[in-house]
Amino acid sequence: MLSAPDAWNAPEKLTPVLREKSLLESELGRLARLRATHDDMLEWLALAQESAGVDSGENDDAAEALDSLAGQIDALADLLEETEMTLLLSEEEDHMDAILEIHPGAGGTEAQDWAEMLQRMYLRWADAHKFGVEELDFLPGDEAGIKSVTLRISGENVFGLLKGERGIHRLIRISPFDSSGRRHTSFASVDVIPDAGDEIVVDIKESDLRVDIFRSSGPGGQSVNTTSSAVRVTHIPTGLVAQCQNEKSQHHNKESAMRILRGRLYDLELSKRDAERQAQYAGKNAISFGSQIRTYTLQPYRLVKDHRSNCEIGDVEAVLNGRIDKLLRDTLLFMHGSR
C-alpha cells in the first residue's frame, strides 16, 4: 500500500497504516534484540565454564567472563520486562494516543494546587519518554493551581500505559496555604480516554449535537478571553460533554472539542463491552474519601500507595517528578490478573 504510486496523495489516510508499520517494526526489533542477547548470554556462559575448568592461578578470564555474563543477564531481564509490558498492552485501543483530564475535588485552592501537581507529574513522565503533549483545554485556579486541564499525549502505547490512572488520587500533606500548618487531605480526579483520531469511525449525527459558544475564562491574553471563541459540545443522546477554550479561533476550539467528544463516545462503546471498565466508571463519581485509587502521603510519613496493586514507593518526590513507570506496570499486571 505504501509503495503504490498514489499512496501519498492523501497522507492523512496513511496514518493508521504507518502507525501499524511502526508497531510491527518495533516488535521485530525487540525480538531480534531478545535473540541476540540470549545467544550472547549462552556464549559467555560457555566461556565462563570453559575458563573455570582451566587450572590457572588468578583465572582472570573466568572472572571477566562471569562479569560479562552478569551484564547479559541484566540486559535480558530488562528486555523480558519490556516484552511483558507489550503483552499486557494487547487491547485494540492500547496503541492509541490518550486524552487525559484532571479535575480538583472539593477544597478550593488546596485541591486546585493538587490538580496542578498531578498535571506536572504526567507532563514530566511524558517528557521523560519523549511523548508529545498538546494542551486542549485549561482553566486556571482562582488563587493557585488549576480548575481543570485536558491534555492530548501522543506516542507508542500511551493510552495503554495511562488507562490505569483513571480514578481519584488523594494527597495528604501539611498545607502550604494554611497559616496554622495543619495537615490537609486533597482529592483530584484523573480521566483517561483513547484518542480515536481518524483511525476509528465514530458516527455522530449533527442533529444529536448541541453547540454552545461562550467567552473564554481565565487570564487568557491575546484576545483569548475577550471574544466568544470557547466552544462546548454536548452529545444529547448520551449527555457527554466536551469543551475547549484555548485557541482564539472558534473553529479550532470546536475541532478540539469534537476530538475529545469522539474519544468519549468511543470509550463509552468500549465500556459497554467491558464489565470491569463499567465498574470503574461507577466507582469514579465521588471525588472524596473511600473512592481513591492511589494515596500520596507527604506527612506524617512519606509514601505513595496504589490501593489496587498494593504497589508502594517511598520516594514520593521521584513519583511527583514523573517517575511513575513502576506504578503503571503494577497496575497493568493487577488489571490483567483481575480479569
Side-chain angles (χ1 to χ4, degrees):
M1 181 177 180
L2 294 176
S3 60
D6 58 345
W8 295 94
N9 290 345
E12 67 280 356
K13 294 182 179 180
L14 292 177
T15 300
V17 180
L18 291 171
R19 183 189 288 271
E20 185 177 0
K21 177 176 178 288
S22 176
L23 289 172
L24 290 173
E25 288 175 344
S26 178
E27 290 302 306
L28 288 172
R30 184 179 296 110
L31 179 59
R33 294 199 306 275
L34 274 170
R35 285 175 174 167
T37 305
H38 178 260
D39 291 345
D40 288 345
M41 184 185 69
L42 292 180
E43 288 181 10
W44 282 113
L45 177 60
L47 183 58
Q49 290 172 333
E50 180 182 331
S51 300
V54 176
D55 185 14
S56 59
E58 297 291 328
N59 208 344
D60 293 336
D61 290 343
E64 182 182 348
L66 286 173
D67 286 343
S68 298
L69 176 61
Q72 290 300 319
I73 291 173
D74 290 342
L76 184 60
D78 290 342
L79 279 170
L80 287 173
E81 185 172 313
E82 184 181 328
T83 303
E84 179 186 49
M85 285 294 291
T86 302
L87 294 175
L88 292 174
L89 301 172
S90 57
E91 300 293 336
E92 177 186 0
E93 66 274 13
D94 284 345
H95 73 279
M96 294 183 179
D97 298 334
I99 295 174
L100 182 144
E101 294 186 1
I102 304 172
H103 296 275
T109 300
E110 182 71 35
Q112 291 169 16
D113 185 58
W114 171 224
E116 186 174 42
M117 290 170 66
L118 283 173
Q119 178 195 22
R120 177 176 175 270
M121 181 181 79
Y122 290 119
L123 287 175
R124 292 205 165 191
W125 172 80
D127 183 64
H129 290 276
K130 295 181 171 52
F131 292 146
V133 177
E134 178 186 0
E135 188 179 277
L136 298 179
D137 193 44
F138 179 82
L139 187 60
D142 295 324
E143 297 178 23
I146 57 175
K147 289 183 177 179
S148 69
V149 65
T150 303
L151 306 172
R152 176 176 177 264
I153 305 179
S154 56
E156 184 178 350
N157 295 325
V158 169
F159 174 72
L161 292 168
L162 288 177
K163 62 184 179 183
E165 294 299 284
R166 183 185 322 201
I168 309 305
H169 296 243
R170 178 174 69 169
L171 173 70
I172 302 173
R173 65 170 174 175
I174 299 295
S175 171
F177 305 101
D178 187 336
S179 58
S180 300
R182 291 173 294 185
R183 191 165 71 239
H184 284 244
T185 299
S186 305
F187 298 89
S189 71
V190 174
D191 196 11
V192 184
I193 60 175
D195 180 12
D198 298 323
E199 298 180 41
I200 305 296
V201 177
V202 180
D203 185 23
I204 304 176
K205 298 178 182 177
E206 283 291 333
S207 58
D208 288 341
L209 298 178
R210 184 177 73 245
V211 180
D212 298 310
I213 310 299
F214 59 99
R215 182 166 293 183
S216 301
S217 56
Q222 296 182 350
S223 302
V224 172
N225 63 337
T226 60
T227 60
S228 296
S229 58
V231 177
R232 181 185 299 111
V233 182
T234 304
H235 186 251
I236 298 171
T238 61
L240 293 174
V241 179
Q243 74 175 41
C244 184
Q245 59 179 345
N246 271 24
E247 303 291 337
K248 290 186 291 182
S249 165
Q250 184 184 119
H251 174 71
H252 289 159
N253 282 332
K254 184 178 179 181
E255 279 186 347
S256 294
M258 287 300 298
R259 186 177 197 115
I260 297 170
L261 182 62
R262 282 197 300 272
R264 289 194 183 285
L265 288 170
Y266 178 62
D267 193 55
L268 182 63
E269 288 303 309
L270 292 175
S271 72
K272 291 177 181 178
R273 305 199 311 258
D274 190 336
E276 180 181 302
R277 182 175 296 166
Q278 218 163 9
Q280 288 177 357
Y281 262 85
K284 194 173 73 70
N285 294 331
I287 310 179
S288 59
F289 284 96
S291 59
Q292 64 273 358
I293 62 167
R294 189 178 299 148
T295 297
Y296 307 71
T297 303
L298 297 177
Q299 183 71 26
Y301 54 88
R302 302 178 74 80
L303 183 72
V304 176
K305 179 173 181 177
D306 192 287
H307 302 291
R308 301 157 300 175
S309 66
N310 287 321
C311 175
E312 295 184 352
I313 298 177
D315 192 347
V316 184
E317 292 300 326
V319 171
L320 293 176
N321 279 319
R323 293 174 59 183
I324 59 175
D325 290 303
K326 178 172 172 52
L327 289 164
L328 300 182
R329 177 179 177 274
D330 284 11
T331 300
L332 283 171
L333 287 169
F334 167 79
M335 293 170 70
H336 275 253
S338 63
R339 288 182 176 178

